[in-house]
Amino acid sequence: RYLMAVLYYSTDGPNWSRQDLNFLSDLPVCDWNNKIPSNRDGTLGVFCEGTATIRQILFFDNGLAGTIPWEFSLLVDLLGLNMGTNILKGSIPTELGDLTMLELLQLASNTLTGTIPTELQQLTLLNYIDLSGNKLEGTISSGIGSLTGLSELRLFNNSLTGSLPTELGQLTALTWLGFNDNKLTGTLPTELGQLLALQYWYTYSNQLRGTLPTEFAKCTDLIKISMSENDFSGTIPTEFGLMTALQGLYIYDNTLSG
């Protein structure tokens, strides 16, 4: 109850878009929500899912302003944290790395700054990360390779720099990978050919260079590849013809030849 009161006051609760969530009422904390089940669209609030402890905090597009409280780290049974499309500022608390049960982290479309905490690499049960549409800086740590259960990784539309770590090749459960609209440099790791489940690959609008990796041809489930607006050179690999599921290949605004 105290932790949810901290959430309310640190994110300008009196001015949230929806005020029918029973926050700060005499009802049990597990009833501080809009009564829509947590697996449905439009869910808002706190959900315990049949237990006495909080399992989901879902506040997508609800006008939350202010900062993300570090006290979330005390919710050791938390499975999902969705505070995307709000007006949150400040950095992502490093203490979130203590949420070892977390499966979903959605903080997209805010104005968060700073770097991506390396402590998030401890959350080995994560299967979905969306930090897109913020003002995050710094590099993508090689430790990201520890998140082997990830199916979607969305880091696009930030100010990330540096090269893509070769350890991305360890994320073999990935189906969706987006780094577009950043300031990434360097070449594409050949280890990307290990992502056999990958369906969507977005790295457009960066400063990537080198040749297009022939190893992509091993990812035969790929549906869409978008690598336009970079500085790739060389020819289009003939091996790309092996990707028979491919529906879209976007490689314009590079320096390709042949």
Side-chain angles (χ1 to χ4, degrees):
R1 194 176 190 87
Y2 165 74
L3 295 178
M4 291 305 95
V6 170
L7 165 65
Y8 185 80
Y9 287 114
S10 15
T11 59
D12 195 22
N15 291 306
W16 287 354
S17 302
R18 293 285 297 271
Q19 293 292 325
D20 57 346
L21 306 178
N22 300 310
F23 256 70
L24 307 187
S25 72
D26 292 334
L27 292 173
V29 172
C30 296
D31 292 325
W32 290 8
N33 55 62
N34 64 351
K35 307 307 179 188
I36 298 177
S38 60
N39 60 349
R40 304 269 185 88
D41 291 338
T43 296
L44 286 172
V46 179
F47 295 86
C48 300
E49 300 181 350
T51 71
T53 57
I54 296 173
R55 306 306 291 269
Q56 305 274 357
I57 297 176
L58 308 174
F59 283 98
F60 185 84
D61 192 14
N62 197 44
L64 276 67
T67 59
I68 302 171
W70 68 265
E71 287 89 346
F72 277 168
S73 62
L74 303 175
L75 300 170
V76 293
D77 294 314
L78 195 66
L79 301 178
L81 177 59
N82 186 341
M83 301 173 75
T85 311
N86 284 291
I87 323 168
L88 297 170
K89 61 182 181 180
S91 59
I92 300 172
T94 58
E95 290 87 354
L96 294 187
D98 294 335
L99 299 175
T100 55
M101 299 291 290
L102 201 65
E103 298 175 356
L104 178 146
L105 179 60
Q106 159 63 288
L107 301 174
S109 300
N110 283 285
T111 55
L112 298 172
T113 54
T115 60
I116 300 173
T118 56
E119 288 80 1
L120 297 183
Q121 299 161 15
Q122 302 165 175
L123 308 182
T124 55
L125 297 183
L126 275 173
N127 59 53
Y128 182 97
I129 297 178
D130 191 350
L131 306 178
S132 61
N134 282 288
K135 299 180 180 180
L136 299 172
E137 299 176 331
T139 60
I140 300 168
S141 169
S142 60
I144 199 168
S146 65
L147 304 179
T148 54
L150 272 183
S151 62
E152 298 194 27
L153 177 58
R154 301 171 181 248
L155 301 178
F156 57 88
N157 196 14
N158 280 290
S159 296
L160 300 174
T161 54
S163 58
L164 294 176
T166 59
E167 288 80 4
L168 284 173
Q170 299 172 26
L171 308 183
T172 54
L174 276 178
T175 61
W176 206 107
L177 188 55
F179 296 119
N180 52 282
D181 293 291
N182 278 288
K183 301 176 182 179
L184 298 171
T185 55
T187 60
L188 294 179
T190 58
E191 287 82 359
L192 296 175
Q194 300 169 26
L195 305 181
L196 303 184
L198 196 61
Q199 297 179 344
Y200 297 92
W201 167 263
Y202 300 97
T203 51
Y204 63 87
S205 296
N206 278 287
Q207 301 163 28
L208 298 168
R209 57 180 172 78
T211 57
L212 302 180
T214 58
E215 286 80 7
F216 260 147
K218 300 175 184 178
C219 307
T220 54
D221 287 344
L222 272 167
I223 296 172
K224 188 173 183 179
I225 301 175
S226 186
M227 299 187 288
S228 56
E229 301 175 73
N230 280 286
D231 195 25
F232 293 118
S233 57
T235 60
I236 302 172
T238 57
E239 289 88 347
F240 277 19
L242 299 174
M243 296 185 288
T244 54
L246 199 63
Q247 298 177 13
L249 175 61
Y250 302 90
I251 50 175
Y252 59 85
D253 282 351
N254 281 287
T255 54
L256 298 170
S257 59

